[in-house]
Amino acid sequence: MPEEATPEPETAPVPAPAPVPSEPVDTGYTPGGVPTFESVREKIETRYGTATGASELAAETPEGRSVEEQYNARQRAAAERLAQIRESMHEDHTKDESGSQ
């Protein structure tokens, strides 16, 4: 049997390196290392969105509702106590004026 020549594998063409983009990539900082307005705004909006979402989720849990109810009860109690203090001060002021005449 005659020996058959094995075909040489074809070499695939090597792709050219990707062209360098003409616009620089926005890193969020100036060449001097100062954050750009856009990057600062994006960070603030992201944090605000995260905080808002966490607050909404917490309010939907039984524990969150309980905390909110406790806060509202304290606010009502504080308002009532303030009204009592104002009333007692008004009574004292009225007594002082009537006693000095």
Side-chain angles (χ1 to χ4, degrees), residues 42-66:
E42 184 177 327
K43 285 180 185 178
I44 291 171
E45 288 175 352
T46 301
R47 289 179 184 173
Y48 177 76
T50 301
T52 302
S55 174
E56 289 173 358
L57 286 174
E60 297 300 318
T61 64
E63 296 84 9
R65 279 184 251 127
S66 172

Side-chain angles (χ1 to χ4, degrees), residues 25-30 33-40 43:
V25 177
D26 184 22
T27 61
Y29 291 89
T30 64
V34 178
T36 62
F37 177 75
E38 291 297 320
S39 70
V40 171
K43 285 180 185 178

